[in-house]
Amino acid sequence: MTKKKKRLILLIVLAVVLVTFVVLSIINLAMPTNSKVGEVLTLIVSLFSTLGVITSIVFTGISFADNNDAQLASFIQGLNDNFIKSKENVEVYNALAACHHNRCPKWEECKNKADFKCIKADGFQDEIYLSNYLTFFGTIYVLLKREVVQMDFVNELFSFRFFVAAHSKLMQDERLNNPEFNFKDILVLEDKWLKFKIEHGEFTQEDLDASVADYRKVRVGQMSEVEANRKHPKIALRRPLRSMFKTDDEYNSYLGK
């Protein structure tokens, strides 16, 4: 049941409580002073009066939650605006998306040779564009860690933009698998994000494990990237960051698990 439906049911129940309270109060006023029925009604009205206070508190809570949701929605929209208004982020995104969708000029060579990249860091106006793109998602990770935002919001809005970068050959070779740079938070974020997708049925742990095994083969030339991509069409399963490590023990050690 969605949050909206739960709230609607709660409002209906509270409305019934209030209406019942009013009706019983009117009946109680019409009863003789010494009537036993009147005494019983007085007790019931008193009870409903207490429920009325509780109702008021609940309504206040709902209003507060609505305001928080509105503020969160505004905050998330602000993050999105910051991303799309950055010419540098858009330039990197367009290049990565073109590569992912096989629209770059040398995509066949790129997908058939493990060490070939159809786009390179020096192909942008400034190589810092790549780092800035990843830093944006480093900020997302901090916000998630501090529980300022929730993963369901982030997943709906930023999933493709994150995985098209984190799972790109360019980003992995130039930044994420490069000792000159420290983007450990991106690996931690990806791990958290993949677990969220598994928990919400986008794919299974077995699917992810199979993908990691296949892209490890790609890295050592035992399988072509074209073959691996055909087996794993979902972008979140293409070239997972865990596959950059030869074993799961190395990966877990790096993440401090």
Side-chain angles (χ1 to χ4, degrees):
M1 185 181 295
T2 64
K3 185 177 180 180
K4 186 176 181 180
K5 287 183 178 179
K6 289 180 179 178
R7 184 168 296 168
L8 178 60
I9 292 173
L10 177 60
L11 290 174
I12 292 173
V13 171
L14 294 177
V16 170
V17 170
L18 289 175
V19 170
T20 304
F21 171 69
V22 172
V23 171
L24 288 175
S25 296
I26 293 172
I27 294 174
N28 186 46
L29 289 174
M31 282 287 174
T33 305
N34 297 326
S35 170
K36 289 185 177 181
V37 175
E39 292 177 1
V40 173
L41 283 176
T42 299
L43 289 174
I44 296 176
V45 168
S46 177
L47 173 62
F48 271 84
S49 178
T50 301
L51 290 175
V53 174
I54 296 173
T55 299
S56 176
I57 294 172
V58 171
F59 270 114
T60 300
I62 290 174
S63 176
F64 181 76
D66 286 340
N67 288 336
N68 280 349
D69 286 347
Q71 290 176 3
L72 178 58
S74 177
F75 181 75
I76 293 293
Q77 185 59 50
L79 284 177
N80 183 55
D81 289 344
N82 287 337
F83 183 94
I84 62 179
K85 288 179 180 177
S86 167
K87 294 181 180 180
E88 294 84 358
N89 283 344
V90 171
E91 182 179 338
V92 173
Y93 171 81
N94 287 338
L96 295 174
C99 184
H100 172 71
H101 292 300
N102 300 332
R103 290 199 299 264
C104 49
K106 298 182 179 180
W107 73 268
E108 289 190 36
E109 189 174 4
C110 180
K111 297 295 170 66
N112 282 291
K113 295 181 179 180
D115 59 348
F116 183 88
K117 294 187 291 292
C118 49
I119 51 176
K120 297 181 181 180
D122 58 12
F124 298 97
Q125 184 176 345
D126 194 323
E127 290 189 24
I128 200 172
Y129 288 5
L130 298 185
S131 296
N132 288 346
Y133 192 105
L134 292 176
T135 298
F136 174 85
F137 286 100
T139 302
I140 294 290
Y141 167 69
V142 172
L143 293 173
L144 285 167
K145 186 177 180 180
R146 294 181 177 273
E147 299 183 349
V148 176
V149 297
Q150 300 301 317
M151 181 56 87
D152 55 347
F153 280 92
V154 173
N155 185 56
E156 288 183 19
L157 196 57
F158 295 109
S159 181
F160 185 81
R161 280 177 271 185
F162 174 74
F163 285 104
V164 78
H167 288 184
S168 73
K169 184 187 295 186
L170 170 68
M171 284 293 196
Q172 290 185 5
D173 290 351
E174 299 282 348
R175 292 295 183 271
L176 299 173
N177 199 24
N178 188 333
E180 294 182 11
F181 300 92
N182 180 19
F183 283 106
K184 181 179 178 180
D185 54 347
I186 298 299
L187 275 77
V188 176
L189 175 59
E190 187 236 23
D191 181 59
K192 179 182 180 70
W193 211 321
L194 290 174
K195 287 177 180 175
F196 175 87
K197 287 180 175 293
I198 290 171
E199 289 171 359
H200 288 77
E202 293 190 31
F203 45 81
T204 66
Q205 182 65 50
E206 289 72 22
D207 293 331
L208 176 59
D209 291 342
S211 171
V212 171
D214 285 340
Y215 282 99
R216 280 175 176 164
K217 292 178 181 178
V218 171
R219 285 184 172 275
V220 296
Q222 296 177 354
M223 177 184 286
S224 73
E225 189 164 334
V226 172
E227 292 177 287
N229 288 353
R230 285 172 182 165
K231 290 180 64 176
H232 310 286
K234 293 181 182 291
I235 191 169
L237 293 177
R238 286 193 175 183
R239 208 179 294 102
L241 298 182
R242 180 153 57 103
S243 66
M244 296 192 308
F245 298 81
K246 293 180 180 179
T247 66
D248 285 351
D249 287 341
E250 285 184 15
Y251 172 73
N252 292 331
S253 177
Y254 183 80
L255 293 188
K257 290 185 177 181

